[in-house]
Amino acid sequence: MAYFLELLFNGALTGLMYSLTALGIVLIYKSAGVPNLAQGAMVMIGAYVVWMLASMADLPLYAAIALAAVGMFGFGLLAERLLLRKMVGQPIIMIVMLTLGLEIFLRGLGPGLLGASPKSLDLGIPLTPVIIGDVFINRDYLVGGIVAMILVGLSLLFFRTRLGTKLRAVSDDHVSSWSVGISVERAVGISWGLAGISAVAAGTLWGSVQGVDWTLSTLLFPAVAVVILGGLDSIIGVLVAGLIVGILGSVIPGYVDPIVGGGTRDVVTSLIILFTIMIRPHGIFGREDIERV
Amino acid sequence: MTADAAETTPTTATQSVLTMSNVEVVYDKVFLAIKGVSLEVGQGQMVALLGGNGAGKSTTLKTISGLLAPERGEVTRGQVHFMGEDLAPLGPSQRVDRGLVHVLEGRRIFGHLTPEDNLLAAFSLKSDRRRYQQLRDQVYTYFPRLKERARTKAGYLSGGEQQMLAIGRALMTEPQLLMLDEPSLGLAPVLVEEIFSIIREINANEGVSVLLVEQNAAAALEIAHHAYLVENGHIVMTGEADVLRQNPDVQEFYLGGAGKVDYHNVKHYRRRKRWLA
Amino acid sequence: MFYRLSGVHHTRYETARRLWPVPADRWQVWILLALAVAAPLYMSDLYLSSYMLPWLVWSAAALSLTLLMGVAGQLHFGFAAVMAIGAYSSIHIVRAGWPFEIALIGAGLTAAFIGCLFGAAALRVKGLYLVMATLAMQYLVDWVIINVPAISGGAQATLQTPDVTFLFVPMQSDAALYYGALLWAVIVTLLVLNIKRTSFGRALVAVRDKDYAASIIGVNSFKYKLLAFFTSSFLGGVSGAVLAFCYYQAVTPEQFGFNVSIQLVAMVLVGGLGSVIGAYLGAGFVLLAPIFLTNMVAYAAIQGWLTVSSNLLAHIPLMAYGALIIGFLLFEPLGLAKIYDNIRKYFLVWPFRHSRS
Amino acid sequence: DNDTIKFALLQDFTAVYTFLTDEYNQGQRDYLRLINEEGGLDGRTFEALVRDTGNEPQRGLEAYNRARREGAVLVDFLSTPVSRAAVNRVLNDEIVMITALHGRGDASDGTTFPYIFPLMATYWSQATLLAEYIEKEEGGLEGKRIAHVYIDSPFGREPVPVLEELADRKGFELRTFAYPSPGNEQSSTWSDVRRYQPDHVLIWGAGGGQAVSVREAIRNGIDPSNILSVVWLAETDARTVGADRAKGVKRFEAVATGTDYPIMERIREKVLDAGLGTGDEENVGTTYYNIGVATMAMAVEAARLALEEHGGELTGEKLRDGFRMLEDYDAEGMMPPVTFTEDDHQGGGYGRVSEWNGEEWEPITDWYAAYQDIVWEEIEKDAAGFREGR
Amino acid sequence: MDTTDQTTHDGVTLACEQVVRRFGGLKALKGIDLGIRQGEIFGLVGPNGSGKTTLVNAVTGFYPPQEGRIVFEGAAINHLKPYQVAARGIARTFQNVALFKGMSVLDNILLGRHIFMRPSALASLFYWWWAQKEEVAHRRQVEEIIDLLQLESVRDEPVDVIPLGMQKRVELARALAAEPRFLILDEPMAGMNQEEKEYMVRFILDAQEALNLTILLIEHHMDVVTAICDRVAVLNNGEKIAEGTARDAIKDPAVVAAYIGKSNDAA
Ligand SMILES: Nc1ncnc2c1ncn2[C@@H]1O[C@H](COP(=O)(O)OP(=O)(O)OP(=O)(O)O)[C@@H](O)[C@H]1O
Ligand SMILES: Nc1ncnc2c1ncn2[C@@H]1O[C@H](COP(=O)(O)OP(=O)(O)OP(=O)(O)O)[C@@H](O)[C@H]1O
Ligand SMILES: CC(C)C[C@H](N)C(=O)O
Ligand SMILES: [Mg+2]
Ligand SMILES: [Mg+2]
């Protein structure tokens, strides 16, 4: 039982850590309609920037994080201006490939300029677990989970605002947004900027756990599972699906791995993606396409 | 038809809100869609733009509202001025800020948002909340039906309701010039009537100038002050609505002759060959 | 100019619908084919076996994928997994003692079967969701291959390809391997070209463009989507086998990883979605660009034109490659095939500038 | 130009192996520089052909074919998939391929793979060596519980058969735990490990996943001193865990770390101080840098022996013979003495155990090799499979 | 107006019996009865959202009715998939043009003949032996339709660049290519001016004559409906509120209130 609870708790927290990456994808999709497969690479860049500011420019860590958030917001604006502005109206596959091109580019940029060998980023979170009964809870993930919930909450509030409504309108139809005076460029830029900020959060937390190197960009995969399950345009979905993906990805391997003798977490993740798409493609909270014959 | 009618710029007594001179638009860098179109909309005027399929009416409106780019269209010649200002350097959203709004063909409301949010999305961030409520209530007095359905997803509204929403949404931007692209498309007769009377009301009550693109020439000529006929990318005829209504060509091609059409005996425009012999 | 449309009249439907109605195009194809056949005579073995051969096989793979993505509109981000299934099947079939010819067909069939299974799972959805579903499929196939040593080849996770003969020709010499690849590329090319101009291809395109409209003219869109998955997975599987036997001569799981799937998609897109010539151009680009960039940057460094750390040096090509992909999508979304087409059109209408007004 | 000897270092600078390539390659090139600065081999200088392959067999083979035409006599891919794909070509082309700490372990069988040299202890040898270390420390393995926690890939699984064989022989209990690659998240795996209450854990991963393993192990109450790692655990990993927290963690070491060796001193003097270094000086003396130096030290020594014996232009075949003439070569104390023979291309499977003391990796044993009989059974089995497959 | 016994009347080729279709909580069709006789042009009118398109979708298998039956030529078709419906000889056009964008006009129309073809990948591979004959034979048929609908000038154009009116015509051609016995037209004249409407009417009448078609026509242009429809039914809110000749129907006060509007006397 304690084993189960431990898998459950740590899984839930891991899931929230995935949500940090997933949140960026949803923020962009929700307002620009772009599935950003470069979000993993943005997380990596976010971590690199924090590392650079903290250890190369010798800033205090928290100042570095704040500064990196500003920088990544700028990066988001830049991505819109240079890349996405020209892609309006292109088929989805082109846009997917564009973000993959961006991901390749970023994977060259970060490690190329700042060094490919892993960097360490110490947040000073103690290694000792929080122990409740016989259940060990990971402090790193606890912090990550809390940060994730705060960010999700803030995003929810943001989309309730008037600006948020405009962003939702933009995701619906770019051309008609223009026609009623919404600056689509600015809206899309803002959403990329916000995704940049969430990438800094994800990058810092994950980077402190595993070191900063290009493998941070592989966080994309679990994040994709989270957004598919939660719904590509649902912020609350990020939270709920993050928990589900995290828990299933922890509990099932916890019992199945010893039997099959392999790391089945990614199998579980893949199956979550597959089954979601087969049963309810738009996810738990995602909006269904209104398609009329 | 008199082709040179297009060359003489129409002069109206009132001051003009919009002037378009000699505009040429190319799609995809290869396809010349409009070829030297000039037109003018006077302050408080309602102007109709009529013409066949593919004549270039929608292209004209998109040129004015700056929405050609997403369709790979480009203005290659000519100018558009709105209230004396050259529109060329302005992006679409800036043009809306100046008071010019375009209701797109096929409605294109934000289907996933509620009607209420549709209205909110169109409302400028620069004005305050109270103004928003005023405007919204104004829209609801024009279209009481929208108020009833304010909380369902707009994508599930009926065609007529969506058209109302599209017009209402445009009004939220407090326009000086309202451009409507085929507002009666696919609507039931009763709704066509309703929409046209509301358009007339908006024009008359609020002094909003209107540029109206329509296939339903009879209805359009009834409410418009002035009209232009576009064919094949050219303005082929222009004049006061009343005058045009009497023109025999207009009657044959746009109004269906003086009396009722006998569809069983409409002309064969070409010698017909038997097929499946 | 050499492209002439005037004077080329078609008086029969047969000639109007032939593959290359313009004689100049026809000549080009024949010349290219002749050059390809004669390649071992004039090409050094480095170029023959490091560039020509893999290029042909990857082109065949890209063609298989463009049939699915471009013609049938079914996005697939796990095509490398399909190729992997083909490659592993063929090796295991040959090891089991069957002739290579059978192994190739077997490779196609297993790949087609498993490909269809996944296709069927994803058939309710399109676009982005299909991307995600196939991506998940890639992970699943990878996992199975890695975790079943009987498939991947024991502790070393490598299977060497056994020596085989194809139609009585031993597949050992560079030339024999090259001709094997060439033959396969030609077959796939003809198949895709012909599919595109016959009712099968039209039905696929119909399903891609508007599946509900397709169904009302009698096209069973479920069946045709499945057929598209089947055909293209079959071709992809055989391409995987040809790649293993003619090029790598060994298979390891990494040869068909997720990044390879991305590369295949990039080939199809950079080349031009649905275009046959585009598949060749795209495969060439994606295959050669990183190699070319790496060699170029290394050369610049050796010459002392570029004095940066070796780490940055190694990452410049990656950045440039990403930037090139982005550049293509931004500036010519229709791909290399469109650029080719523009040039061709220029000559076609020469000396005029526009084909339409 | 037969007075330059070309070594092709066609490695993965941008993908899976980045955690070590930069430093490893820097060590290799600095060493070749040193030899050149010292006058080369009878006036013959060395040239490193360096290319990134991104861990892609495709690009690796192209680079290989090109390097071969440029006259390279030795190739080092530092990538398991690329090396494996190149095996047949290398054997046909008669060019030496070194596969230190990667590639096929069974290539230690020199008769089956005459041109391939694993040079250092295979993963099998590393596993047996670590097991023997535990055995010595604990005074026997009988009844012990050992957890093998590995990245779910062929590499992670590779030592399992020899560990199982050892467990049979020595009567200890072995359980394996896999976590999915790349290993940035392993919490559920370690919850399971903790409940197994192992006496020792072997961690078998690479890159960022290694730091995560150590963190999780410590978090789950496993004493750092009972954590033993495969060769891939370096200074940065310890720092990511936390320099103090990682104190006591042990690892397999193939080559000495640090700069207190004659070769390293010469590199400092003639290469670095002369401003000829090929990379960041901070890397000099790190684990992976020194491994790079050691590979080239062996290669250059082999070349020297080959030229002494055969003279003339250096070919792949001569170089192979040169390697096989290496006897008790220890790179002036930097590495265990290795001897290659026609049969044994592993060089004996030596290594040692070192421990993180809060600042650096400190050796805690001498160079030794363990249970090579079991290792060679495994080598023979796989090599036989390879021979049949052809 | 003798509605009830018309379905049993001889000559009825398509009958809807108590057809119900719901979307979530919304009941879009509330038990529709309809009988369309062989050879007639039957008009279906009604306000926006009254369920006209939904009814057509029910008939063609897109939104199979949840209750009730649809009988075509004596056999129930309400369980069939759209492509099976097509094979029974029913063709339709869509309210929003649904052509295949990537293809030329010619290929679009050729696709209309899909049900007569035997497409396969293998046959394509050996084009010259297997597929070519089929292609050419069907091409002949298609040319006839192109001629009838005067589409020669755009034959090789990609469909997405030709004007909307032409596109509607191509869609009609594609439907005719299947040689249907029953044709459903969903607002074929939306967005057309007078002249274009006249063209379209001409083509519809010609096609009906040449192919001996039964036609179900949805249209909001009441002048056209009154002129060419033999009978009409009026839907409102998912219910049939009137049926009979066009002239009678539009005088029905319920119809006037719901659909026509007071000042409109289009007939
Ligand atoms: N995005 C586009 N790309 C290429 N050609 C276009 C594009 N949009 C319109 N056209 C062409 O430009 C011409 C004018 O089109 P436009 O849409 O302005 O006509 P319209 O008068 O509004 O017709 P309709 O009554 O059908 O709405 C048409 O021939 C059309 O085919
Ligand atoms: N796919 C769907 N999902 C949900 N509701 C639908 C769907 N299709 C139609 N409806 C609803 O069913 C009702 C009938 O719609 P339908 O399209 O049949 O109307 P119509 O009579 O064709 O109107 P119009 O004249 O505007 O074309 C409408 O309220 C519509 O919102
Ligand atoms: C990353 C590497 C050091 C791992 C190992 N050599 C492998 O075979 O994949
Ligand atoms: Mg228009
Ligand atoms: Mg309808």
Side-chain angles (χ1 to χ4, degrees), chain A residues 93-94, chain C residues 62-76 192 196 201 204-209 228 232 268-269 272-276, chain E residues 102:
Chain A
I93 176 72
M94 300 290 179
Chain C
L63 274 169
S64 324
L65 184 57
T66 212
L67 178 66
L68 186 64
M69 297 220 322
V71 179
Q74 305 296 309
L75 306 183
H76 202 316
V192 174
K196 281 176 64 159
L204 293 181
V205 176
V207 171
R208 169 192 80 190
D209 280 357
S232 116
V268 168
L269 291 184
L273 203 52
S275 154
V276 170

Side-chain angles (χ1 to χ4, degrees), chain E residues 52-53 95 186-187:
Chain E
K52 305 180 296 294
T53 302
Q95 184 167 358
D186 196 350
E187 300 199 27

Side-chain angles (χ1 to χ4, degrees), chain B residues 26-28 31-34 51-62 68 70-73 105 181-182 213 215 230 232-233, chain C residues 356, chain E residues 160-165 167 191-192 196:
Chain B
V26 177
Y27 281 113
D28 278 332
F31 183 69
L32 192 56
I34 61 175
N53 262 301
K57 307 179 294 298
S58 302
T59 304
T60 306
L61 294 198
K62 283 181 217 154
L68 285 172
E71 300 188 26
R72 288 152 114 357
E105 189 173 353
D181 199 346
E182 304 203 26
V213 164
Q215 296 286 3
V230 203
N232 206 6
Chain C
R356 291 171 73 211
Chain E
D160 41 347
V161 308
I162 63 175
L164 186 80
Q167 293 186 13
M192 293 195 175
E196 291 154 350

Side-chain angles (χ1 to χ4, degrees), chain E residues 2-186:
Chain E
D2 47 345
T3 21
T4 38
D5 59 349
Q6 266 173 3
T7 43
T8 56
H9 212 276
D10 249 0
V12 168
T13 105
L14 182 94
C16 299
E17 299 165 7
Q18 286 299 316
V19 170
V20 171
R21 173 75 210 188
R22 283 178 295 265
F23 294 110
L26 178 95
K27 209 165 182 183
L29 297 175
K30 302 173 180 166
I32 302 287
D33 283 310
L34 220 55
I36 298 166
R37 297 183 196 130
Q38 166 64 38
E40 73 179 343
I41 299 183
F42 188 92
L44 190 59
V45 297
N48 297 102
S50 57
K52 305 180 296 294
T53 302
T54 306
L55 183 65
V56 167
N57 284 336
V59 170
T60 47
F62 287 104
Y63 298 144
Q66 282 127 344
E67 289 165 36
R69 240 157 60 96
I70 297 166
V71 178
F72 179 62
E73 295 179 339
I77 56 166
N78 44 317
H79 55 274
L80 296 185
K81 295 256 156 34
Y83 66 93
Q84 294 165 321
V85 173
R88 296 287 178 94
I90 298 180
R92 74 174 277 192
T93 65
F94 292 88
Q95 184 167 358
N96 304 310
V97 178
L99 288 171
F100 306 115
K101 286 234 174 73
M103 284 186 260
S104 68
V105 168
L106 183 68
D107 282 339
N108 264 280
I109 305 176
L110 264 172
L111 258 165
R113 298 199 62 77
H114 179 86
I115 46 174
F116 306 114
M117 298 193 176
R118 271 171 293 106
S120 98
L122 213 56
S124 307
L125 181 56
F126 300 103
Y127 179 83
W128 294 275
W129 293 279
W130 288 350
Q132 192 179 36
K133 231 174 44 225
E134 187 182 50
E135 285 293 307
V136 170
H138 289 288
R139 173 71 185 270
R140 291 214 162 83
Q141 303 279 321
V142 164
E143 286 297 330
E144 302 263 333
I145 296 171
I146 289 182
D147 188 52
L148 178 85
L149 299 186
Q150 303 180 9
L151 288 165
E152 297 87 344
S153 59
V154 295
R155 188 194 279 122
D156 294 316
E157 299 284 326
V159 280
D160 41 347
V161 308
I162 63 175
L164 186 80
M166 277 289 190
Q167 293 186 13
K168 292 225 157 195
R169 223 189 276 175
V170 175
E171 216 187 343
L172 177 61
R174 186 180 69 191
L176 292 180
E179 297 177 22
R181 293 183 296 286
F182 192 92
L183 177 66
I184 304 175
L185 302 170
D186 196 350

